[in-house]
């Protein structure tokens, strides 16, 4: 009888477990290699698409930390500063960011986040109180997104749409600046366009190609970061949907 017939059961079990772990490790390596290759392909594809959009920018807020706007201007043509949300919230760094951005060769815009739970008048008053005359040289941006019970299934959304329309009118009248509405495709189509069909739009989470001229900006990564002096700063990155010549006219 061959020696292998006398091997203990636990040794056979150990060998089977060892083989399973080995195959699991091999499978994991394959997944990582395929995933890594796919990621590099995606990065190369995105870089190729970005080449078609020479005007680029970021959205910053208090979570972005202390940014050097002179450095930012070396690679970006515009920056939007989060200022307010609803009728009470103010970004802690808005005033400081705005002051420091004025010395940099970069176009500056101001952003407000729309609230479904407060009136257009109260939001307007809060924006004016916070922003004052520091409204930037770009169109004011209003960010809109569904949250809580405020979504496409809510029967009161038509009324909410009129609230957004009223806020846009109040801001245009007061600041005599354009308005651009930032939202993802679903919110744009279901909520924004029915009440503001002629508005300029800024699409969130959008692909970099295939957008009509009414889409002025494309946010392609809301969770990006930029590095300055060895520190990472959280930002959302966007491009202007047009040429440098169109940008010059748009940002006058």
């Amino acid at each position: 009888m061959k020696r292998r017939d006398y091997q203990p059961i636990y040794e056979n079990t150990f060998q089977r477990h060892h083989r399973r772990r080995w195959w699991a490790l091999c499978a994991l390596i394959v997944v990582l290699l395929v995933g890594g290759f796919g990621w590099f392909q995606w990065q190369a594809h995105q870089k190729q698409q970005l080449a078609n959009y020479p005007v680029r920018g970021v959205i910053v807020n208090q979570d972005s930390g202390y940014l050097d706007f002179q450095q930012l201007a070396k690679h970006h043509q515009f920056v939007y500063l989060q200022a307010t949300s609803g009728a009470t919230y103010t970004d802690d760094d808005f005033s400081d960011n705005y002051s420091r951005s004025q010395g940099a060769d970069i176009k500056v815009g101001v952003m407000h986040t729309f609230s479904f739970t407060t009136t257009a008048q109260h939001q307007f008053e809060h924006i004016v109180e916070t922003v004052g005359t520091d409204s930037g040289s770009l169109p004011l941006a209003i960010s809109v997104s569904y949250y809580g019970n405020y979504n496409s299934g809510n029967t009161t959304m038509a009324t909410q749409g009129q609230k957004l329309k009223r806020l846009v009118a109040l801001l245009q009248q007061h600041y005599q600046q354009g308005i651009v509405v930032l939202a993802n495709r679903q919110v744009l189509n279901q909520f924004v366009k029915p009440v503001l069909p002629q508005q300029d739009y800024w699409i969130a989470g959008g692909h970099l190609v295939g957008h009509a001229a009414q889409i002025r900006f494309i946010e392609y990564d809301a969770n990006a970061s930029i590095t300055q002096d060895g520190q990472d700063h959280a930002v959302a990155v966007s491009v202007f949907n047009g040429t440098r010549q169109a940008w010059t006219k748009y940002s006058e």
Side-chain angles (χ1 to χ4, degrees):
M1 196 175 285
K2 297 181 181 179
R3 180 169 176 77
R4 62 185 176 87
D5 294 329
Y6 290 99
Q7 291 177 337
I9 295 175
Y10 73 83
E11 184 176 338
N12 292 334
T13 303
F14 171 78
Q15 290 178 346
R16 287 198 299 271
H17 287 174
H18 179 73
R19 285 196 295 271
R20 288 172 184 168
R21 286 197 297 269
W22 171 251
W23 284 113
L25 178 61
C26 290
L28 178 60
I29 292 172
V30 170
V31 169
L32 291 174
L33 288 173
V34 172
F37 179 71
W39 183 82
F40 280 115
Q41 277 191 317
W42 177 82
Q43 286 277 40
H45 178 65
Q46 186 180 65
K47 186 176 181 180
Q48 185 179 26
Q49 288 186 325
L50 278 171
N52 298 317
Y53 300 93
V55 180
R56 304 171 189 178
V58 297
I59 303 171
V60 304
N61 57 37
Q62 63 189 36
D63 294 330
S64 302
Y66 187 92
L67 282 166
D68 183 330
F69 288 90
Q70 298 284 357
Q71 287 190 43
L72 188 66
K74 293 178 181 178
H75 304 287
H76 299 84
Q77 288 70 47
F78 66 91
V79 58
Y80 266 85
L81 310 176
Q82 181 70 44
T84 51
S85 179
T88 58
Y89 175 81
T90 300
D91 188 277
D92 290 341
D93 290 344
F94 168 70
S95 180
D96 182 55
N97 280 335
Y98 191 89
S99 296
R100 291 186 297 103
S101 70
Q102 296 308 289
D105 184 21
I106 191 169
K107 296 292 185 179
V108 179
V110 173
M111 181 170 291
H112 169 75
T113 299
F114 178 76
S115 170
F116 294 106
T117 59
T118 52
T119 66
Q121 183 66 36
H122 286 162
Q123 292 185 63
F124 167 72
E125 291 171 358
H126 179 52
I127 294 168
V128 173
E129 181 181 3
T130 301
V131 173
T133 58
D134 297 338
S135 58
S137 58
L138 295 174
L140 295 165
I142 301 177
S143 175
V144 183
S145 59
Y146 291 151
Y147 61 85
N149 294 324
Y150 296 97
N151 52 55
S152 58
N154 191 322
T155 57
T156 70
M157 294 306 280
T159 301
Q160 296 293 338
Q162 293 304 312
K163 183 190 297 183
L164 174 63
K165 184 177 181 180
R166 173 63 175 161
L167 177 60
V168 168
L170 288 170
L171 289 171
Q172 285 179 324
Q173 182 180 12
H174 182 82
Y175 284 106
Q176 297 297 302
Q177 288 177 238
I179 305 290
V180 58
V181 179
L182 167 64
N184 64 29
R185 186 177 299 277
Q186 180 188 21
V187 176
L188 278 179
N189 290 334
Q190 294 178 347
F191 180 72
V192 179
K193 287 184 178 181
V195 293
L196 296 167
Q198 304 303 318
Q199 200 66 45
D200 284 348
Y201 304 131
W202 184 341
I203 191 166
H207 298 292
L208 284 170
V209 294
H211 299 289
Q214 198 172 356
I215 301 292
R216 294 293 190 171
F217 297 96
I218 307 165
E219 180 192 80
Y220 62 93
D221 190 349
N223 300 300
S225 65
I226 57 175
T227 303
Q228 292 186 347
D229 300 325
Q231 297 291 322
D232 290 335
H233 301 270
V235 298
V237 288
S238 295
V239 296
F240 174 70
N241 186 29
T243 64
R244 290 187 184 275
Q245 291 77 12
W247 171 251
T248 299
K249 183 177 180 180
Y250 185 75
S251 59
E252 287 177 345

